[in-house]
Amino acid sequence: RISPSYRKSGSETSLKTSVTSFSTSTTPDFTQMLTYGVATGVQFGILSGALHSIDLVVAKSSLTKLPLPVVALLFVFLSLRSRIASPLDNSRPKKKELKGKATPPDIKRPSWTPPGIAFPFIWLTITALRGISSALVYDTVGGKLLSPPLLAMILHLSIGDTWNTITNLERRLGVSAIGVLAVWASVMNAIVRYYRVIPLAGKILAPSGVWISIATVLTMTIWRINKPVQPIWPVKGDGKSAKFKLSNLGQLRQPDSVEDSSEPTVERINEKVDLDSPKVATMEKLQAPSKKVYCRCWKSDTFPLCDGAHMKHNEATGDNVGPLIVTAKKEDK
């Protein structure tokens, strides 16, 4: 919030602008770190329990094991909707918000970022490969869903859903850059375990590892090029933390937009000016006659003066912010 006040005395005009900003503390939020771990563990437990229940039903039936197409479809479903077992809010941004891009318009992306339209095709291909490779593993291990290699896939999906919350809902670029390493490690673990059971399954799943490797580099690059560089841990009191949302458990159709959340996040306005100060205040005295143009978008590299950065911001976001123009005129005698 910007509150300018003016005092005029003779040929001198004094402008004082007081700006109240959000907390600039970088204190790690250990509670939220624990939330990430607990949410991932709960989701892994729920999905593992579901697989065990299916094994028990099959064991009591006349079947020796599930038909492979059914297993493939099961893991295709889990790849697409594993978040039904996540206790965290796993809302996704609306396609309109992304405007055909891979990330929200206000996030800088490297020039080599794939177009947004490519991502659904990539993920649908990976989903199919997960289903086929998982069915091959299931058949080779003797028809047991609750087996170490298939649990490795469940762990990968659980970690991925927590990472999606961090990336899409909280929009913590630094935490996302670290979290994607866990996603990468978990898929590599699944590929190795699949390969040890049956090499063909590992080879079929390998493209998933290739794509997530690319996504890892992309995520870390996005974190690095967006200034100021965000910390690699969740910050206490920044208003971004996702909460447990148990009402989403079991829902096949979850909110597809962060805006649909009953607890919307509050994002800071100032992301580059005197971030170590609890409050940014500017006082200047203008000698008449003179005119100055002051920044109101908080993106100017010459703050508090405007450098035109608001034009790029408006183009990217559809906003309409502009500068504050102050003129000091000589009084007529």
Side-chain angles (χ1 to χ4, degrees):
R1 186 177 62 186
I2 303 179
S3 304
S5 59
Y6 306 89
R7 288 184 304 172
K8 195 169 185 179
S9 176
S11 63
E12 189 176 84
T13 298
S14 174
L15 167 67
K16 180 178 181 181
T17 304
S18 178
V19 182
T20 302
S21 62
F22 293 100
S23 172
T24 57
S25 169
T26 57
T27 304
D29 189 343
F30 294 105
T31 300
Q32 192 62 15
M33 294 183 196
L34 180 61
T35 298
Y36 298 150
V38 170
T40 303
V42 168
Q43 182 175 358
F44 178 76
I46 292 174
L47 294 178
S48 299
L51 295 186
H52 182 53
S53 298
I54 295 174
D55 280 342
L56 292 177
V57 171
V58 172
K60 293 181 179 180
S61 70
S62 58
L63 297 173
T64 55
K65 58 185 176 181
L66 291 171
L68 296 190
V70 173
V71 177
L73 288 175
L74 172 61
F75 277 88
V76 164
F77 171 78
L78 290 176
S79 294
L80 294 173
R81 284 293 182 267
S82 58
R83 54 181 169 145
I84 65 173
S86 173
L88 284 177
D89 188 347
N90 254 271
S91 304
R92 300 294 198 265
K94 287 182 178 179
K95 293 180 180 179
K96 290 183 179 180
E97 294 174 354
L98 298 180
K99 298 181 180 179
K101 305 294 183 181
T103 57
D106 58 333
I107 301 295
K108 292 181 181 178
R109 303 170 297 276
S111 59
W112 53 269
T113 303
I117 195 173
F119 283 77
F121 295 103
I122 293 171
W123 281 115
L124 285 175
T125 301
I126 288 175
T127 294
L129 297 179
R130 285 172 175 172
I132 295 170
S133 59
S134 297
L136 292 175
V137 169
Y138 172 80
D139 187 46
T140 306
V141 298
K144 294 294 183 183
L145 291 173
L146 198 68
S147 60
L150 295 179
L151 288 179
M153 175 59 71
I154 295 301
L155 178 61
H156 168 57
L157 296 176
S158 300
I159 292 174
D161 284 330
T162 299
W163 179 80
N164 276 321
T165 294
I166 294 169
T167 304
N168 294 320
L169 185 73
E170 297 183 341
R171 297 188 182 181
R172 284 178 162 137
L173 301 185
V175 183
S176 177
I178 296 301
V180 76
L181 296 176
V183 179
W184 178 85
S186 66
V187 74
M188 292 302 173
N189 176 54
I191 291 171
V192 170
R193 288 181 178 272
Y194 275 35
Y195 186 86
R196 287 176 178 173
V197 172
I198 175 171
L200 179 59
K203 292 176 182 178
I204 292 174
L205 189 59
S208 178
V210 173
W211 167 242
I212 291 179
S213 295
I214 296 172
T216 298
V217 176
L218 176 61
T219 300
M220 300 195 77
T221 303
I222 289 174
W223 166 57
R224 181 175 52 82
I225 66 177
N226 280 271
K227 307 298 181 181
V229 176
Q230 296 184 18
I232 60 175
W233 54 81
V235 174
K236 192 171 185 179
D238 64 0
K240 294 183 177 182
S241 296
K243 306 299 182 182
F244 284 117
K245 198 169 184 179
L246 301 182
S247 60
N248 279 353
L249 286 173
Q251 291 187 15
L252 295 180
R253 178 68 172 87
Q254 295 190 18
D256 60 357
S257 172
V258 179
E259 295 179 347
D260 294 334
S261 171
S262 60
E263 299 180 4
T265 58
V266 178
E267 296 186 7
R268 62 180 300 127
I269 299 172
N270 176 22
E271 295 184 340
K272 65 188 302 181
V273 181
D274 295 337
L275 297 182
D276 293 332
S277 300
K279 184 169 78 170
V280 180
T282 300
M283 176 180 286
E284 287 195 32
K285 291 183 178 180
L286 303 184
Q287 295 293 333
S290 64
K291 180 175 75 172
K292 285 194 175 183
V293 182
Y294 293 93
C295 171
R296 292 197 299 178
C297 70
W298 292 95
K299 298 183 182 298
S300 173
D301 290 330
T302 58
F303 190 90
L305 300 179
C306 173
D307 68 353
H310 60 275
M311 292 186 288
K312 184 177 180 181
H313 166 78
N314 289 346
E315 182 179 356
T317 65
D319 210 340
N320 64 344
V321 296
L324 170 67
I325 302 174
V326 179
T327 302
K329 297 181 179 179
K330 284 189 176 181
E331 291 184 332
D332 296 331
K333 293 184 179 180

